[in-house]
Amino acid sequence: MKELSRIHIAHLPTPVEFLPALTQILKGPKLWIKRDDQTGLACGGNKTRKLEFLLAQAQAQGARTLITGGAVQSNHCRQTAAAAAKMGLDCILVLSLSQKQSRLPALSGNLLLDRILNAEIRWSSREEREQTLQKVYEECLHQGRKPFLIPYGGSNPIGAAGYAYAMRELIEQQKHWSELSSLDWIIVASSSGGTQAGLVAGAKLFGYRGKILGISIDETEESLKKKVATLATEVCALLGEPYEISPQEILVNDRFLGQGYGVLGEAEINAILTFARKEGVLLDPVYTGRAAAGMLALIQERKFSQDENILFWHTGGMPALFADGYQRILRQHTET
Ligand SMILES: *Cc1c(COP(=O)(O)O)cnc(C)c1O
């Protein structure tokens, strides 16, 4: 097993907590939560673990400018901007607008934080985002700004390896929780697939025997399974273990895509209010709200037995609650 070089920007290990009220109300399996919303860097989230390894690589290459891209409310972009600030690097974010958006969005939620953290913003249509990213990279190269390109969601093998090590961290924590020794399920939001792929690779490498279920945020089961399997295989290879992981080994549920990526619907709102009001845990409108909604639905359908232990892996995203569009919807549901 290889240890990849990393920088230390995350608060680790993140806590594991029992969710007593939700466990009781649902009369279902025992529910636990892994608090990767508390990784510590500028509101935290799962991308911080990936960035510890991506930035070690950037540093080794003498990079001076980090470039990455995402949606307007990208948590990955906000955490990259914070990591760049902390490391004394410039940061350029290519944010993509959907066709419906005719004006530039107001600075709110993650986008406001990007600017507070001093990231330069470049706008692109969704269709042209790859070309724009490439163009910005070339530009920086010619200007001698030593650019380093981080993929969407930080999801290449090096970034995803952060979640193989996160699995090792959880296995270490299990040793101190006798109840958790039989952890049957991990449930996690899965989008670019890096988090799930890292966890799957970590399970193979460090010996976790339970299941890992990705709740798909914006993709069909078939294509996400392929993506996760390929990336998990690459993570194992990177860490020096030639395991071949096939799409059939990957568990993905794509029943909770709702009205599409980033559309906050009734199911997500219900999950956000339930976690907040019963456990004091804040979810986000795009990822963890949807994943938790999926988990709640599956528990209500009795997919799990009462003696099972389920761990919801919280991946962060809280600042998006304060994005103009989401804030407006949430206000309507909470005004008395
Ligand atoms: C990016 C993100 C995810 C998805 O992680 P992937 O590794 O891209 O699958 C889940 N939750 C939050 C809050 C995120 O920001």
Side-chain angles (χ1 to χ4, degrees), residues 118-297:
N118 208 24
E120 291 174 47
I121 312 288
R122 304 288 179 85
W123 298 103
S124 168
S125 66
R126 242 194 98 80
E127 296 69 34
E128 285 170 4
R129 60 182 204 168
E130 288 301 336
Q131 290 113 288
T132 310
L133 212 54
Q134 210 50 47
K135 204 179 79 195
V136 171
Y137 181 85
E138 302 288 332
E139 227 176 80
C140 285
L141 205 57
H142 290 133
Q143 294 165 346
R145 294 179 72 185
K146 300 218 167 82
F148 182 86
L149 197 57
I150 297 177
Y152 288 94
S155 285
N156 60 14
I158 290 186
Y163 267 89
Y165 293 118
M167 182 55 102
R168 181 171 68 184
E169 177 184 300
L170 176 68
I171 291 169
E172 208 44 54
Q173 286 175 309
Q174 274 184 297
K175 293 179 185 160
H176 308 287
W177 287 89
S178 51
E179 306 95 310
L180 250 187
S181 61
S182 66
L183 182 55
D184 304 285
W185 294 86
I186 289 172
I187 297 183
V188 67
S190 196
S191 178
S192 67
T195 302
Q196 190 177 1
L199 291 175
V200 167
K204 267 272 206 280
L205 296 167
F206 304 113
Y208 162 76
R209 282 187 181 67
K211 301 186 176 82
I212 300 168
L213 173 62
I215 304 289
S216 177
I217 299 305
D218 50 2
E219 222 174 294
T220 65
E221 179 181 320
E222 196 192 345
S223 77
L224 187 53
K225 276 181 171 177
K226 272 195 206 135
K227 202 153 84 176
V228 170
T230 304
L231 198 46
T233 302
E234 288 170 343
V235 171
C236 290
L238 182 68
L239 298 184
E241 303 287 340
Y243 292 122
E244 180 78 33
I245 295 165
S246 74
Q248 293 93 307
E249 294 172 67
I250 307 296
L251 299 177
V252 164
N253 191 316
D254 66 358
R255 266 180 49 206
F256 305 102
L257 303 179
Q259 298 301 304
Y261 178 82
V263 181
L264 176 57
E266 289 299 325
E268 290 86 17
I269 293 168
N270 174 54
I272 289 170
L273 297 182
T274 303
F275 270 67
R277 293 171 178 189
K278 300 303 174 192
E279 297 287 355
V281 170
L282 297 174
L283 302 175
D284 82 281
V286 181
Y287 298 96
T288 54
R290 180 160 293 175
M295 181 176 77
L296 294 178

